[in-house]
Amino acid sequence: MEAEGPLVSVLDHGALKLIQSYGDDSMICRAARVSVDGGVREGTPSKERDRVLIRYLAKQHHTSPFEHCGATFYVKAPIFVLRQWHRHRTQSYNELSGRYSTTFGEYYLPTVERLITEQSQDSRQGQGRVKGPEEALMAREKIREHCEKALEEYHSLLEMGVSRELARSVLPLNVYSEMYATANLWNWTRFLKLRLAQDAQFEIRAYAKAILAALREVFPTGMGAFAEMEGWG
Amino acid sequence: MEAEGPLVSVLDHGALKLIQSYGDDSMICRAARVSVDGGVREGTPSKERDRVLIRYLAKQHHTSPFEHCGATFYVKAPIFVLRQWHRHRTQSYNELSGRYSTTFGEYYLPTVERLITEQSQDSRQGQGRVKGPEEALMAREKIREHCEKALEEYHSLLEMGVSRELARSVLPLNVYSEMYATANLWNWTRFLKLRLAQDAQFEIRAYAKAILAALREVFPTGMGAFAEMEGWG
Amino acid sequence: MEAEGPLVSVLDHGALKLIQSYGDDSMICRAARVSVDGGVREGTPSKERDRVLIRYLAKQHHTSPFEHCGATFYVKAPIFVLRQWHRHRTQSYNELSGRYSTTFGEYYLPTVERLITEQSQDSRQGQGRVKGPEEALMAREKIREHCEKALEEYHSLLEMGVSRELARSVLPLNVYSEMYATANLWNWTRFLKLRLAQDAQFEIRAYAKAILAALREVFPTGMGAFAEMEGWG
Amino acid sequence: MEAEGPLVSVLDHGALKLIQSYGDDSMICRAARVSVDGGVREGTPSKERDRVLIRYLAKQHHTSPFEHCGATFYVKAPIFVLRQWHRHRTQSYNELSGRYSTTFGEYYLPTVERLITEQSQDSRQGQGRVKGPEEALMAREKIREHCEKALEEYHSLLEMGVSRELARSVLPLNVYSEMYATANLWNWTRFLKLRLAQDAQFEIRAYAKAILAALREVFPTGMGAFAEMEGWG
């Protein structure tokens, strides 16, 4: 288990932090080698032999050895990002609950640049037609005003005695929530494959990039092999 | 595969519909009996013997035979309900996407009765302190006004050229979305166990009740055994 | 739910039978289209449009729509085949139990041809060096004699009063066992990808081929798209 | 990540060794508290408050916080034990392969005591009727002789040039194999619940007991809460 990583800023108020990891490059190799050697040998083959083996495993999609490694992240992200994230059903989640808590107070406001930029040509879903900086600034202000109002309504409903679980229903999808997410290394690579892709939404890609960076530090060869293979730069 | 069930209304604008099911009470027994008998016998032991076996399996938590049955539902529910639903990681989901679609136009408005009623005593999370009908009506109107405004903002952002994936960020959590959800019978019982419980939120309980009713028709003995055991009335 | 398929022979005493299936090509499309259209429309777009959509989904690895379809098979296979099979953790299994049953009486005897043939060059694991037919025949007879003896010992231990769960410990890995296996269509394609591969063992490939044939009949477009993409002939 | 545990003997030639663990009692609490508090606070509430919370979570089956902890074991066990083990589909496995390796040389020989003892009255599956020590000794010798012969045949087939993947088919189910198995803490408790039960087979119970002991050292409160609740002594 590595020491906790730094709290990395993502988007305007979001964050990501490596809480713990387990396994390492040599665990991957040890698990892989049991199929041939058996034994509980802790023998330490050369780093170079490990590197060759790990790249072979990644390339051949021999995925099981990567399942003996993993990591837990603390994540603070807009709810619409968490909605995409939770479609990954092989992670373990604990999230801030709108039934137990009323600590929702921040929302995601896209930058003017983000509001203008169209996503890649082949990605229809992100396509906008905002004309230029002025129009983008106007849109940004509209979002801000609306979200400020929504938070006000939320607290006003709570004050009227409406239960937390109902009051939260007026919160917008860009409100920040928080969670812990744990997955094994193989499943993190599946997350990254989808969420680093060109057609993934910009906002979740920002988190995926931070996860990739953190996992490359802990599993330089294991994650490096996938990064190279998939062209994750 | 049964014929599709009726479109059942849930909450104010929600719905649930059994799209397909697979397996039946006799499939449960056949799977269970392979452990003793092997064979591909289609023999039809008496209904009574099947009933006794299924109740035994349910009671002993011999869950694997229930995995060869299952069902797909169409669900229209507020996003905060779907957020709870998606924590069940053993279901298969396809949902309306705010990146591809702009067909969001309805939101959930709790009744005055719902706004007043406190949930069960031992459930802190649902507890509200709305004084009475007038205050509840006021809260309800506040929610309505805010949501109407939110939908207006959403469409106005789209018209300004903001991409769908960003415009949706102002939509409130009570906006209705739609999905297909498939799970095997054992996993539906796990969903029901959590979502029919006293401390489950009223809104998802409404869906859980509709699912229980639909599954009891298709799997009278299989689902009936769990319903009796768990006291699902 | 389709009618049951025929009992297909696999290897010398093995078998495979489609017991039930759920969903169909149009269910795949319906699930996929909910992301854009929402709605519970049963509308029937042209077969051609469905075909184009399904091929697109398969190619883009948009896998969730394939999870609303699936199939259950009855399988009779040597235990060493089932050992490989059970590594697929997304299937539901019920198997003949050596603790409950004593109906083990058949074993897999490879043909002379199989004993001689080396597997593909690049597959070290299957490589044998049996010189020719005579030597192969000798090996075959050795296996036969040993397995006959093993079954004799098994029954003799049972007669001595040894419990089933311990007596079975002398049974060889090529003894036939039986099971029901259910998986969704996406997971069947993952099974096939691994078990139809050149480096998969000949014996499990025989089962994989029978499964592919059965699923192509039920899901001509859905399974056809993967078969074409993966080159499954 | 704890240091590796000792190599614990199980059965006659079996073994179990804690290779790594992740998370700890305070990780469980931190994950649970995010639902109320959010935040990335590393604050250290008193051990006593943690203990109370963990016991509450276990009792209420709030299982998700236990998923951020876990452990990897090296296991050497008879194949019939691994067959039962692998039915747990939420663990990650890498096992010695009969296609790659020929290092199979040991088999499980039940003691005279084990051969005589009937399992609990209500467990038909383990019931034997071995009369007494002499008969048990005879049975034991029969098993020994047969397994020695089986290993001989195995090596003789290999010498004749039969491929490893086919030669192994004569190996008996009590031959020892080896694997690494990783699961999260919640899933280990599910394994233990089934495999420590009265009607679990004696041999896999021996491994389950060793796992329980190892996990209680690493997660004294987390595993202790389940052990107390389930009556695991």
Side-chain angles (χ1 to χ4, degrees):
Chain A
M1 200 157 67
E2 297 293 308
E4 297 196 9
L7 190 70
V8 179
S9 285
V10 187
L11 303 179
D12 52 356
H13 300 292
L16 188 113
K17 185 181 165 82
L18 175 70
I19 298 299
Q20 63 178 3
S21 68
Y22 58 97
D24 55 19
D25 285 339
S26 85
M27 182 71 230
I28 299 169
C29 296
R30 206 168 153 181
R33 290 192 177 111
V34 79
S35 66
V36 179
D37 294 341
V40 68
R41 274 175 286 287
E42 287 164 58
T44 46
S46 73
K47 287 262 177 196
E48 182 50 26
R49 281 192 55 204
D50 275 11
R51 217 180 57 86
V52 170
L53 174 58
I54 287 173
R55 290 159 64 102
Y56 171 82
L57 295 168
K59 210 176 147 205
Q60 299 288 311
H61 269 234
H62 286 195
T63 61
S64 50
F66 297 95
E67 297 182 25
H68 304 286
C69 299
T72 300
F73 288 96
Y74 162 80
V75 180
K76 183 179 167 192
I79 285 175
F80 72 82
V81 168
L82 293 188
R83 293 245 298 146
Q84 296 175 338
W85 200 310
H86 289 161
R87 307 306 294 272
H88 295 263
R89 291 162 296 176
T90 52
Q91 299 191 21
S92 296
Y93 301 111
N94 278 85
E95 191 192 340
L96 184 59
S97 165
R99 301 186 73 200
Y100 292 90
S101 183
T102 58
T103 62
F104 300 93
E106 288 170 310
Y107 51 88
Y108 167 62
L109 205 53
T111 62
V112 164
E113 203 176 22
R114 163 73 174 113
L115 279 160
I116 294 172
T117 312
E118 294 190 15
Q119 279 195 315
S120 65
Q121 298 305 88
D122 55 313
S123 159
R124 291 178 311 149
Q125 60 267 39
Q127 219 163 5
R129 311 173 310 278
V130 179
K131 295 293 161 32
E134 287 91 39
E135 214 166 350
L137 204 57
M138 263 179 59
R140 191 175 139 92
E141 283 315 301
K142 274 179 88 66
I143 297 174
R144 186 205 304 275
E145 270 170 46
H146 180 73
C147 293
E148 290 292 343
K149 190 68 176 32
L151 285 169
E152 230 171 75
E153 289 296 324
Y154 171 59
H155 289 292
S156 141
L157 287 167
L158 288 171
E159 271 156 42
M160 289 173 73
V162 172
S163 63
R164 284 165 294 196
E165 68 185 14
L166 285 180
R168 66 160 163 180
S169 68
V170 300
L171 290 174
L173 290 174
N174 59 359
V175 155
Y176 276 96
S177 183
E178 300 169 61
M179 70 167 177
Y180 288 100
T182 297
N184 69 42
L185 193 53
W186 165 248
N187 285 323
W188 279 122
T189 70
R190 292 313 85 189
F191 176 86
L192 293 175
K193 191 171 173 64
L194 277 175
R195 304 308 178 180
L196 288 173
Q198 283 304 315
D199 63 353
Q201 185 164 344
F202 169 85
E203 282 74 19
I204 199 164
R205 285 179 74 192
Y207 289 88
K209 282 173 186 173
I211 282 176
L212 175 61
L215 292 180
R216 286 184 93 151
E217 291 221 4
V218 189
F219 307 103
T221 309
M223 189 45 82
F226 281 99
E228 193 184 315
M229 200 170 75
E230 303 283 359
W232 292 335
Chain B
M1 200 156 69
E2 296 294 309
E4 297 196 8
L7 189 71
V8 178
S9 285
V10 185
L11 304 180
D12 53 356
H13 300 294
L16 187 113
K17 186 182 166 81
L18 175 70
I19 298 298
Q20 63 179 2
S21 68
Y22 58 96
D24 54 19
D25 287 338
S26 85
M27 182 70 230
I28 299 169
C29 295
R30 207 166 151 180
R33 290 192 177 112
V34 79
S35 67
V36 179
D37 294 340
V40 67
R41 273 175 287 287
E42 288 164 57
T44 46
S46 73
K47 288 261 175 196
E48 182 50 26
R49 282 192 53 205
D50 275 11
R51 215 180 58 87
V52 170
L53 173 57
I54 287 173
R55 290 158 64 101
Y56 171 83
L57 295 168
K59 209 176 148 205
Q60 299 287 312
H61 269 232
H62 286 197
T63 61
S64 50
F66 297 95
E67 296 182 26
H68 304 285
C69 299
T72 300
F73 288 96
Y74 162 80
V75 181
K76 183 179 167 192
I79 284 175
F80 70 82
V81 168
L82 292 188
R83 292 244 298 146
Q84 296 174 337
W85 200 309
H86 289 161
R87 307 306 294 273
H88 295 264
R89 292 162 295 176
T90 51
Q91 300 191 21
S92 295
Y93 301 111
N94 279 85
E95 192 192 338
L96 183 60
S97 164
R99 302 185 73 201
Y100 292 92
S101 182
T102 59
T103 63
F104 300 94
E106 288 171 308
Y107 50 88
Y108 167 62
L109 204 54
T111 63
V112 165
E113 202 176 21
R114 163 73 174 112
L115 279 160
I116 295 172
T117 313
E118 294 191 11
Q119 280 195 313
S120 65
Q121 298 305 88
D122 55 313
S123 159
R124 290 178 313 150
Q125 60 267 40
Q127 220 164 3
R129 311 174 312 278
V130 179
K131 294 294 162 30
E134 286 91 41
E135 214 165 351
L137 205 58
M138 263 179 59
R140 190 174 140 92
E141 283 314 301
K142 273 179 88 65
I143 297 175
R144 186 206 305 276
E145 269 169 48
H146 180 74
C147 293
E148 291 292 341
K149 191 69 177 27
L151 285 170
E152 230 170 75
E153 289 296 324
Y154 172 58
H155 288 293
S156 140
L157 287 167
L158 288 171
E159 271 156 42
M160 289 173 72
V162 172
S163 63
R164 285 165 294 194
E165 68 185 15
L166 284 180
R168 67 160 162 180
S169 68
V170 299
L171 290 174
L173 289 175
N174 59 0
V175 154
Y176 276 95
S177 183
E178 300 170 62
M179 70 168 177
Y180 288 100
T182 297
N184 69 41
L185 193 53
W186 165 247
N187 285 323
W188 280 121
T189 71
R190 292 313 85 190
F191 177 86
L192 293 175
K193 192 170 172 63
L194 278 176
R195 302 309 176 179
L196 288 174
Q198 283 303 314
D199 63 353
Q201 185 164 345
F202 170 84
E203 282 73 20
I204 199 166
R205 285 179 74 192
Y207 289 88
K209 282 174 186 172
I211 282 176
L212 175 61
L215 292 180
R216 286 185 93 151
E217 291 220 5
V218 188
F219 307 103
T221 309
M223 189 45 83
F226 281 99
E228 192 183 315
M229 201 169 76
E230 304 282 1
W232 291 336
Chain C
M1 201 157 66
E2 297 292 309
E4 297 195 8
L7 189 71
V8 178
S9 285
V10 185
L11 303 180
D12 52 356
H13 300 293
L16 187 114
K17 186 181 165 82
L18 175 70
I19 298 298
Q20 63 179 1
S21 69
Y22 59 96
D24 54 19
D25 286 339
S26 86
M27 182 71 229
I28 300 169
C29 295
R30 208 168 152 178
R33 291 193 177 111
V34 80
S35 66
V36 179
D37 295 339
V40 68
R41 274 175 286 288
E42 288 163 58
T44 45
S46 73
K47 288 261 176 196
E48 182 50 27
R49 282 193 54 206
D50 275 10
R51 215 179 59 86
V52 170
L53 174 57
I54 287 173
R55 290 158 64 102
Y56 171 82
L57 295 169
K59 209 175 148 208
Q60 298 288 312
H61 269 233
H62 285 196
T63 62
S64 50
F66 297 95
E67 297 182 26
H68 303 286
C69 299
T72 300
F73 288 96
Y74 162 79
V75 180
K76 183 178 166 192
I79 284 174
F80 71 83
V81 168
L82 293 188
R83 292 245 297 147
Q84 296 175 336
W85 200 310
H86 290 160
R87 306 307 293 272
H88 295 264
R89 291 162 296 176
T90 52
Q91 300 192 20
S92 296
Y93 300 111
N94 279 86
E95 191 193 340
L96 183 60
S97 165
R99 301 185 74 200
Y100 290 92
S101 182
T102 58
T103 63
F104 299 94
E106 288 170 310
Y107 50 88
Y108 167 62
L109 204 54
T111 62
V112 165
E113 205 174 19
R114 163 72 173 113
L115 280 160
I116 294 172
T117 313
E118 294 190 13
Q119 280 196 313
S120 66
Q121 297 307 87
D122 55 312
S123 160
R124 289 178 312 150
Q125 59 267 43
Q127 219 164 5
R129 310 174 313 276
V130 178
K131 295 293 161 32
E134 285 91 40
E135 215 165 350
L137 205 58
M138 262 179 59
R140 190 174 140 91
E141 284 314 302
K142 274 178 87 68
I143 297 175
R144 186 205 305 276
E145 269 169 48
H146 180 74
C147 293
E148 291 292 341
K149 191 68 179 27
L151 286 170
E152 231 171 74
E153 289 296 324
Y154 173 57
H155 289 293
S156 141
L157 286 167
L158 288 171
E159 271 157 41
M160 287 174 73
V162 172
S163 63
R164 284 164 296 195
E165 68 185 14
L166 285 180
R168 67 160 162 181
S169 68
V170 299
L171 290 174
L173 289 175
N174 59 0
V175 154
Y176 276 96
S177 183
E178 300 170 62
M179 70 168 177
Y180 288 100
T182 297
N184 68 41
L185 193 54
W186 165 248
N187 285 323
W188 279 122
T189 71
R190 293 311 87 190
F191 176 86
L192 292 175
K193 192 170 171 64
L194 278 176
R195 304 309 177 180
L196 287 173
Q198 282 303 314
D199 63 353
Q201 185 163 344
F202 170 84
E203 282 74 19
I204 199 165
R205 286 179 74 192
Y207 288 89
K209 283 173 186 173
I211 282 176
L212 175 61
L215 292 180
R216 286 184 93 151
E217 291 220 4
V218 188
F219 306 104
T221 309
M223 188 46 82
F226 282 99
E228 193 184 315
M229 201 170 76
E230 304 283 0
W232 291 336
Chain D
M1 201 158 65
E2 298 292 310
E4 297 197 8
L7 189 70
V8 179
S9 285
V10 186
L11 303 181
D12 52 356
H13 300 293
L16 188 114
K17 186 181 165 82
L18 176 70
I19 298 299
Q20 63 178 2
S21 68
Y22 59 96
D24 54 19
D25 285 339
S26 85
M27 182 70 230
I28 299 170
C29 296
R30 207 168 152 181
R33 290 192 178 112
V34 80
S35 66
V36 180
D37 294 340
V40 67
R41 274 175 286 287
E42 288 163 57
T44 46
S46 73
K47 287 263 177 196
E48 182 50 26
R49 280 192 55 206
D50 275 10
R51 215 180 58 87
V52 170
L53 174 58
I54 287 173
R55 290 159 63 102
Y56 171 82
L57 295 168
K59 209 176 147 205
Q60 299 287 311
H61 269 234
H62 286 196
T63 62
S64 50
F66 297 95
E67 297 182 25
H68 304 286
C69 299
T72 300
F73 288 96
Y74 162 79
V75 180
K76 183 179 167 192
I79 285 175
F80 71 83
V81 168
L82 293 188
R83 293 245 296 147
Q84 295 175 338
W85 200 310
H86 289 160
R87 305 307 294 272
H88 295 263
R89 290 162 296 178
T90 52
Q91 300 192 20
S92 295
Y93 301 112
N94 279 84
E95 191 193 340
L96 183 60
S97 165
R99 301 185 73 199
Y100 291 91
S101 183
T102 58
T103 62
F104 300 93
E106 288 170 310
Y107 50 89
Y108 168 61
L109 204 54
T111 62
V112 164
E113 204 175 20
R114 163 72 175 113
L115 279 161
I116 294 171
T117 313
E118 294 190 15
Q119 280 196 314
S120 66
Q121 296 307 88
D122 56 314
S123 158
R124 289 179 311 150
Q125 59 267 39
Q127 219 163 5
R129 310 172 312 276
V130 178
K131 296 294 160 33
E134 286 92 39
E135 215 165 351
L137 205 57
M138 262 178 61
R140 191 174 140 92
E141 283 314 302
K142 273 179 88 65
I143 297 174
R144 187 206 303 275
E145 268 169 48
H146 180 73
C147 293
E148 291 292 342
K149 191 67 177 30
L151 286 169
E152 230 172 75
E153 289 295 324
Y154 172 59
H155 289 292
S156 143
L157 287 167
L158 288 171
E159 271 157 41
M160 289 173 72
V162 173
S163 63
R164 283 165 296 197
E165 67 185 15
L166 285 179
R168 67 160 161 180
S169 67
V170 299
L171 290 173
L173 290 175
N174 60 359
V175 155
Y176 276 96
S177 183
E178 299 170 62
M179 69 168 179
Y180 288 100
T182 297
N184 69 42
L185 193 53
W186 165 248
N187 285 323
W188 279 122
T189 70
R190 292 313 85 189
F191 176 85
L192 292 176
K193 191 170 173 65
L194 278 176
R195 303 309 178 180
L196 287 173
Q198 282 304 314
D199 63 353
Q201 185 163 344
F202 170 84
E203 282 73 20
I204 199 165
R205 287 179 73 191
Y207 288 88
K209 283 174 186 173
I211 282 176
L212 175 61
L215 292 180
R216 287 185 93 150
E217 291 220 3
V218 188
F219 307 103
T221 309
M223 189 46 83
F226 282 99
E228 193 183 315
M229 200 170 76
E230 304 282 359
W232 291 336

